[in-house]
Amino acid sequence: MDIQAEINWIHQEIDKVKDPTFIEKLKQLLLATTSPAATSDADYNIDIEKALEAIENGNFYSEEDATAISKKWGRK
Protein backbone atom coordinates (compact mmCIF):
# COMPACT_ATOMS: atom_id res chain seq x y z
CA MET A 1 0.00 0.00 0.00
CA ASP A 2 1.31 3.46 -0.78
CA ILE A 3 1.51 6.20 1.84
CA GLN A 4 -1.55 8.08 0.57
CA ALA A 5 -3.64 4.92 0.73
CA GLU A 6 -2.40 4.36 4.29
CA ILE A 7 -3.33 7.92 5.25
CA ASN A 8 -6.79 7.55 3.70
CA TRP A 9 -7.37 4.31 5.61
CA ILE A 10 -6.28 5.97 8.88
CA HIS A 11 -8.65 8.89 8.25
CA GLN A 12 -11.55 6.48 7.65
CA GLU A 13 -10.80 4.53 10.83
CA ILE A 14 -10.44 7.69 12.95
CA ASP A 15 -13.81 8.90 11.70
CA LYS A 16 -15.37 5.76 13.21
CA VAL A 17 -13.85 6.24 16.68
CA LYS A 18 -16.21 7.42 19.42
CA ASP A 19 -13.97 6.79 22.45
CA PRO A 20 -12.68 10.13 23.80
CA THR A 21 -9.87 8.40 25.71
CA PHE A 22 -8.56 6.84 22.51
CA ILE A 23 -8.78 10.17 20.71
CA GLU A 24 -6.81 11.88 23.49
CA LYS A 25 -4.11 9.19 23.37
CA LEU A 26 -3.90 9.49 19.59
CA LYS A 27 -3.63 13.26 19.91
CA GLN A 28 -0.79 12.91 22.43
CA LEU A 29 0.99 10.44 20.13
CA LEU A 30 0.72 12.82 17.19
CA LEU A 31 1.92 15.75 19.27
CA ALA A 32 4.88 13.75 20.52
CA THR A 33 5.91 12.66 17.04
CA THR A 34 5.41 16.00 15.29
CA SER A 35 6.73 18.40 17.92
CA PRO A 36 10.38 19.30 18.15
CA ALA A 37 12.14 17.70 21.10
CA ALA A 38 9.75 18.66 23.85
CA THR A 39 12.12 17.71 26.63
CA SER A 40 15.40 19.50 27.08
CA ASP A 41 18.36 17.98 28.89
CA ALA A 42 17.52 20.17 31.88
CA ASP A 43 13.90 18.95 31.92
CA TYR A 44 15.10 15.36 31.63
CA ASN A 45 17.47 15.80 34.58
CA ILE A 46 14.70 17.40 36.66
CA ASP A 47 12.45 14.41 35.90
CA ILE A 48 15.19 12.04 37.02
CA GLU A 49 15.72 13.98 40.25
CA LYS A 50 11.97 13.91 40.97
CA ALA A 51 11.86 10.16 40.32
CA LEU A 52 14.80 9.51 42.63
CA GLU A 53 13.17 11.64 45.33
CA ALA A 54 9.91 9.70 44.95
CA ILE A 55 11.80 6.42 45.35
CA GLU A 56 13.58 7.71 48.44
CA ASN A 57 10.18 8.66 49.89
CA GLY A 58 8.81 5.17 49.23
CA ASN A 59 6.52 6.26 46.39
CA PHE A 60 6.91 3.31 44.05
CA TYR A 61 5.44 -0.10 43.24
CA SER A 62 7.21 -3.38 43.84
CA GLU A 63 7.69 -5.64 40.84
CA GLU A 64 4.93 -7.88 42.21
CA ASP A 65 2.52 -4.93 42.54
CA ALA A 66 3.37 -3.65 39.06
CA THR A 67 2.76 -7.09 37.58
CA ALA A 68 -0.62 -7.35 39.32
CA ILE A 69 -1.60 -3.87 38.10
CA SER A 70 -0.54 -4.59 34.52
CA LYS A 71 -2.62 -7.77 34.43
CA LYS A 72 -5.72 -5.59 34.96
CA TRP A 73 -5.01 -3.34 31.97
CA GLY A 74 -7.54 -3.64 29.22
CA ARG A 75 -10.06 -5.48 31.38
CA LYS A 76 -12.89 -3.01 31.86
Side-chain angles (χ1 to χ4, degrees):
M1 216 183 261
D2 67 39
I3 189 70
Q4 191 57 51
E6 294 283 356
I7 292 170
N8 290 339
W9 180 84
I10 291 169
H11 283 194
Q12 291 171 352
E13 293 303 307
I14 289 172
D15 287 341
K16 297 176 189 176
V17 175
K18 303 295 183 218
D19 180 358
T21 303
F22 177 80
I23 295 297
E24 182 60 30
K25 288 179 182 179
L26 181 58
K27 177 182 172 183
Q28 294 304 318
L29 174 65
L30 291 170
L31 288 172
T33 59
T34 59
S35 300
T39 305
S40 69
D41 288 344
D43 290 336
Y44 180 75
N45 289 336
I46 289 169
D47 287 345
I48 291 173
E49 290 299 324
K50 287 180 181 178
L52 291 172
E53 185 178 319
I55 292 168
E56 288 173 6
N57 292 330
N59 297 326
F60 61 89
Y61 292 108
S62 68
E63 182 178 354
E64 184 177 280
D65 291 340
T67 300
I69 291 167
S70 69
K71 286 181 180 180
K72 296 177 184 177
W73 291 348
R75 294 183 185 169
K76 293 185 177 183

